[in-house]
Amino acid sequence: MTTLSDVAKKANVSKMTVSRVINHPEKVTDELKELVFQAMKDLDYKPNVAAKALANNRTQVIKFFILEEIDTTEPYYMTLLMGMSKELDKHQYSLQLVTENSFDVGQSDGYVITGMREEDYPWIERLEKPFVLFGENRYGYDFVDTDNAKGTEISTEHAIKTGFEKIVYVGIDVKEPFEFSRESGYINTMQRYQKVPEIVRFSNRSRYSERFIEEQFARYPKKTAFVCSSDRLAIGIERGLQKCKASIPDDYGVVGFDGVFLDQIASPRLTTVKQPVFEMGAACATMLLNKIKQKGAPQGNQLFEASLVVRGSTQKD
């Protein structure tokens, strides 16, 4: 049976270095990691993760708990999951996806939770394991999210600077922090440019925003842009405008928010605020692992800057 000493000899490093690569890869240079991992591969050496977990009273399992309905038509959560999984894999952790019915099934070392709504917060106080939220909150819980206000600030400013005179915000009809932040980014930018805000809200389904345009199109003159809280709502706006024979982007503009797949299949292709979802997933994993190591110590929050991707829905391709 291959031993740690065999790996150290093969890689021409000390046993301590091999141990550090296995147990604390974040503290080792990429060059050393590559050297040791190659030696482990050549010798078919597999560290006993189960024994290590048992000795540390750990399960090496993280649960990802989704509290909202997942729509399989867009890979937002798949991208998030991949970001978490890649980071957890570096630390020999596995990721388990759970829903409400399976939340308490099996052991874990902590949770990443997303889709929290106001009514969900009371039970979160009863959690005994460390947790991190994906999505901003007003209760002081550790979280990772996009800077939502900044995102709609750059999308609104883009619409104004592109030459659109009337800017309408199409929001998601939920009373949640991320939506409040996105609306505030829009409102603050409109006020800065001395423009009058107009906000409409729908459930996050393209059919509702599409129907709205069909029914209310006469209200909106040429040189109107719709700044949307999601790519899904933005696609509905595009379809509604096209049904009304409106010219995009010559007379009407549309800007989405998310930048995960749906923006690429829209026609014309959608200008959107792109979230770094993969990186945010990795950050959730890193924050939670640090919290576990620090026995539940608060980690604060981490906001990621979104970027504007300009395409055919606001400017000629």
Side-chain angles (χ1 to χ4, degrees):
M1 182 181 294
T2 305
T3 66
L4 204 68
S5 297
D6 296 328
V7 175
K9 186 177 179 180
K10 176 75 172 177
N12 197 28
V13 296
S14 67
K15 285 175 59 177
M16 184 179 294
T17 298
V18 176
S19 178
R20 191 177 294 116
V21 167
I22 294 172
N23 297 308
H24 302 286
E26 73 281 1
K27 297 180 179 179
V28 182
T29 66
D30 290 340
E31 185 180 1
L32 265 179
K33 279 189 284 190
E34 186 177 345
L35 202 63
V36 172
F37 286 146
Q38 186 59 51
M40 290 167 63
K41 182 179 179 181
D42 292 343
L43 297 172
D44 196 27
Y45 176 79
K46 295 179 177 61
N48 193 337
V49 176
K52 172 191 168 187
L54 187 62
N56 293 328
N57 195 27
R58 300 266 175 84
T59 65
Q60 299 302 116
V61 174
I62 295 299
K63 289 186 177 183
F64 180 48
F65 187 31
I66 301 177
L67 279 166
E68 61 186 329
E69 179 184 348
I70 300 177
D71 192 317
T72 56
T73 61
E74 59 174 307
Y76 185 95
Y77 280 115
M78 182 56 69
T79 306
L80 185 71
L81 281 165
M82 285 301 297
M84 282 191 284
S85 296
K86 287 284 188 182
E87 186 61 30
L88 290 172
D89 188 57
K90 297 176 184 177
H91 304 271
Q92 293 85 49
Y93 264 88
S94 62
L95 183 65
Q96 181 181 350
L97 178 62
V98 295
T99 57
E100 289 186 78
N101 293 332
S102 60
F103 182 75
D104 291 322
V105 177
Q107 296 295 311
S108 70
D109 294 334
Y111 311 100
V112 176
I113 305 172
T114 190
M116 295 291 292
R117 296 293 182 251
E118 200 69 29
E119 62 271 17
D120 297 315
Y121 286 104
W123 67 262
I124 202 173
E125 293 282 358
R126 300 194 295 271
L127 292 178
E128 297 178 355
K129 300 286 178 64
F131 65 88
V132 166
L133 300 185
F134 177 67
E136 61 180 287
N137 69 94
R138 297 170 294 170
Y139 294 89
Y141 297 125
D142 303 328
F143 73 84
V144 173
D145 203 347
T146 302
D147 188 336
N148 290 294
K150 183 67 175 178
T152 46
E153 178 185 322
I154 61 176
S155 61
T156 305
E157 190 166 58
H158 166 72
I160 293 170
K161 289 185 174 180
T162 302
F164 293 102
E165 297 166 2
K166 184 177 182 63
I167 315 295
V168 180
Y169 181 79
V170 183
I172 301 173
D173 191 17
V174 291
K175 295 179 179 179
E176 297 300 331
F178 80 90
E179 182 60 30
F180 295 148
S181 293
R182 292 181 189 182
E183 290 190 15
S184 71
Y186 161 78
I187 292 170
N188 291 339
T189 306
M190 292 290 282
Q191 290 175 340
R192 194 166 74 248
Y193 282 87
Q194 298 182 330
K195 289 183 173 292
V196 179
E198 180 181 340
I199 297 176
V200 295
R201 302 181 185 91
F202 310 101
S203 294
N204 194 23
R205 295 288 181 271
S206 60
R207 63 179 179 273
Y208 297 125
S209 52
E210 180 179 347
R211 186 189 308 154
F212 166 75
I213 291 296
E214 291 182 80
E215 293 173 352
Q216 302 294 326
F217 179 67
R219 290 177 50 200
Y220 298 108
K222 291 180 179 181
K223 294 303 175 185
T224 295
F226 298 88
V227 171
C228 303
S229 186
S230 73
D231 287 345
R232 186 174 296 169
L233 289 175
I235 284 180
I237 296 291
E238 272 197 348
R239 289 172 179 164
L241 289 170
Q242 288 167 338
K243 283 187 176 181
C244 294
K245 309 300 182 185
S247 177
I248 306 171
D250 292 331
D251 298 325
Y252 295 88
V254 187
V255 186
F257 199 118
D258 283 334
V260 184
F261 181 64
L262 286 183
D263 58 305
Q264 299 175 48
I265 64 171
S267 181
R269 291 200 307 156
L270 192 63
T271 294
T272 190
V273 177
K274 184 176 179 61
Q275 300 188 71
V277 181
F278 184 93
E279 291 78 5
M280 289 193 292
C284 285
T286 299
M287 183 179 288
L288 181 57
L289 291 179
N290 287 337
K291 192 169 184 175
I292 292 169
K293 289 177 185 176
Q294 297 168 24
K295 303 186 185 304
Q299 303 295 307
N301 61 71
Q302 186 173 356
L303 288 177
F304 281 76
E305 187 173 339
S307 57
L308 185 72
V309 181
V310 180
R311 297 196 182 101
S313 65
T314 58
Q315 291 184 1
K316 289 285 190 182
D317 278 340

